[in-house]
Amino acid sequence: MATRAFSNFLTVFLALLQAVRNAGRRAKNPDPRRILVVHHLLLGDTLMLTPLLAKLRERFPRAEIAMTTPVAFVALYRARPYGVNAVPYDPRNPGTLMELLKRSGFDLALVPGDNRYSWLALALGAKWIVAFSGDRPAYKNWPVDEAIPYPMVPATWGDMVASLVEGEAPSPYRAVAWGDPGCQPFELPSSPYCVLHVGARSPHRLWGQARWADLAAYLNRRGLTVVWSAGPGEVARVSAIDPDGRCASYAGKLDLAQLWHLLKRATLLVCSDTGVAHMGRVVNVPTVVLFGPGSATLFGAGEFWKQSPYCAITADSFPCRDQRSLFKREIAWMRHCSRGPKECGNNLCMQVIDLDMAESAIESLLGLEPELKVDRDPRVGS
């Protein structure tokens, strides 16, 4: 806590110093040579900034583009997709702030999420700061020079953040734009295999254990090797789904760069609405995503990833998926749910997704003939 407080104090102090030094001299450069994308987002939100990076590169092909990135995610950007330099930043680590300060002097800074990072942009000497309007409390917005409203029509968050830059939408995503990150060697499964990522940060995004087991049995019958995936603290979850260890498990064994390579070589990825789902789109593996409390509109493929092999499963208009706030801004068309266990005792929005829905999505995505029902495992998922 003390280190975060020190970082915050130093950031505000340097930002105010920059504001005094450059009073009356701030101006928008139509051809910026140094651009900063500044945030401290979760994995999925960070990967969904890719349309913004693509648009910046198309609009300003000669510009130096840097992006602050949580330390653990930097490995994914080592190949510099779209020529972007990922710079590690952690508000709790003043050392990362000191390293950032060595890069000061940006013509343009873009703040896609929480506007508190507009203060960091100002501290880093950004001459023009663009962010979405309406963040609360108001002090977050004080350094912002240009406030852009959220769109009035439904869109993915990735397409929305690209609107922080003027001009046409970026070209649709192509996997060749993002080189493979290097990683420590590990043993890959025998092909063809599929990855079932059963973990999630929120318990409300978990699917039933028996349903995952039934889905694995279905995929085995279709000739696919199944491997389990989950986060470091979720090894027990895999054991509960597959107590006999019939399928290999990578739960808690891989770093993000290794997970990237596991996904890229897979025939299929099935997961709930987590950061891994967005990684699946970036590596271009056929991906089926189970949306319960999250919005399949807001966090789906959208225009940028429209050519990627992807299928979202969700129960439309689920009655308690009724919240409309994103980064403390109200969006009239949005419908999602961010309630925790104390507010919601179950996750019916996930449990209404049954095995038939998952199988149909997989068959459609992979071009498989539907499995005859008489051949199915007689167990019923729950």
Side-chain angles (χ1 to χ4, degrees):
M1 183 63 71
T3 54
R4 181 189 288 271
F6 175 77
S7 291
N8 290 342
F9 171 80
L10 183 58
T11 297
V12 172
F13 173 78
L14 294 174
L16 292 174
L17 193 60
Q18 288 282 356
V20 171
R21 286 177 176 174
N22 298 293
R25 291 186 291 173
R26 299 186 64 75
K28 185 175 183 178
N29 186 339
D31 187 23
R33 295 305 176 92
R34 300 193 71 223
I35 301 172
L36 174 68
V37 179
V38 57
H39 68 90
H40 189 69
L41 295 165
L42 298 174
L43 176 61
D45 296 329
T46 299
L47 293 174
M48 286 194 75
L49 298 180
T50 306
L52 173 61
L53 305 182
K55 188 172 181 179
L56 284 170
R57 181 52 64 205
E58 290 179 8
R59 284 291 315 281
F60 309 111
R62 295 178 297 171
E64 172 195 340
I65 303 174
M67 179 175 70
T68 61
T69 309
V71 177
F73 308 162
V74 171
L76 299 180
Y77 291 84
R78 284 179 182 147
R80 300 182 67 241
Y82 301 101
V84 172
N85 296 307
V87 185
Y89 173 65
D90 184 345
R92 299 162 298 183
N93 183 350
T96 61
L97 174 59
M98 302 308 292
E99 289 298 316
L100 266 177
L101 290 171
K102 296 177 182 179
R103 299 171 176 261
S104 294
F106 293 93
D107 300 310
L108 172 65
L110 305 164
V111 185
D114 192 322
N115 280 7
R116 76 178 65 188
Y117 296 106
S118 65
W119 286 88
L120 178 58
L122 184 57
L124 293 172
K127 298 173 183 176
W128 194 257
I129 301 172
V130 182
F132 286 116
S133 59
D135 201 357
R136 305 188 305 270
Y139 75 82
K140 292 183 179 181
N141 309 307
W142 290 349
V144 176
D145 297 294
E146 186 177 353
I148 307 296
Y150 277 147
M152 300 298 292
V153 296
T156 65
W157 194 65
D159 293 336
M160 289 164 63
V161 296
S163 69
L164 288 171
V165 180
E166 296 174 348
E168 297 294 323
S171 302
Y173 180 72
R174 297 175 63 241
V176 294
W178 199 310
D180 294 337
C183 72
Q184 292 295 319
F186 70 102
E187 186 175 353
L188 286 163
S190 301
S191 294
Y193 69 89
C194 57
V195 178
L196 303 187
H197 185 85
V198 301
R201 284 176 60 91
S202 167
H204 283 65
R205 299 189 182 195
L206 297 175
W207 207 31
Q209 294 177 1
R211 286 180 177 170
W212 281 118
D214 287 341
L215 184 61
Y218 160 79
L219 290 166
N220 287 158
R221 292 196 301 273
R222 303 310 301 256
L224 289 168
T225 298
V226 170
V227 299
W228 303 111
S229 171
E234 299 175 313
V235 176
R237 184 166 294 133
V238 172
S239 297
I241 296 169
D242 184 11
D244 297 327
R246 296 180 179 179
C247 302
S249 174
Y250 288 86
K253 298 178 180 179
L254 306 181
D255 60 29
L256 287 178
Q258 291 171 320
L259 179 60
W260 172 290
H261 286 273
L262 179 70
L263 297 183
K264 183 165 185 176
R265 290 160 177 76
T267 300
L268 173 72
L269 165 66
V270 183
C271 59
S272 61
D273 171 30
T274 67
V276 173
H278 302 293
M279 190 186 293
R281 280 204 295 270
V282 174
V283 305
N284 210 40
V285 60
T287 301
V288 173
V289 182
L290 314 177
F291 282 91
S295 167
T297 298
L298 188 64
F299 298 115
E303 287 298 309
F304 185 67
W305 272 290
K306 63 183 179 182
Q307 297 178 1
S308 299
Y310 166 84
C311 182
I313 306 177
T314 188
D316 291 331
S317 303
F318 204 79
C320 55
R321 193 191 295 124
D322 57 359
Q323 296 177 322
R324 305 184 181 189
S325 177
L326 178 67
F327 292 110
K328 297 187 178 180
R329 287 91 153 179
E330 295 297 316
I331 305 178
W333 53 262
M334 192 174 74
R335 298 291 185 276
H336 77 127
C337 174
S338 59
R339 297 177 179 90
K342 292 183 180 179
E343 300 170 278
C344 176
N346 56 57
N347 64 342
L348 292 178
C349 54
M350 281 294 291
Q351 301 313 319
V352 296
I353 299 173
D354 61 26
L355 191 61
D356 284 339
M357 296 166 70
E359 290 180 6
S360 295
I362 291 168
E363 290 161 358
S364 175
L365 196 59
L366 299 185
L368 302 176
E369 290 293 325
E371 184 183 55
L372 296 175
K373 298 302 181 183
V374 294
D375 294 335
R376 286 188 47 157
D377 190 307
R379 292 181 302 156
V380 177
S382 58

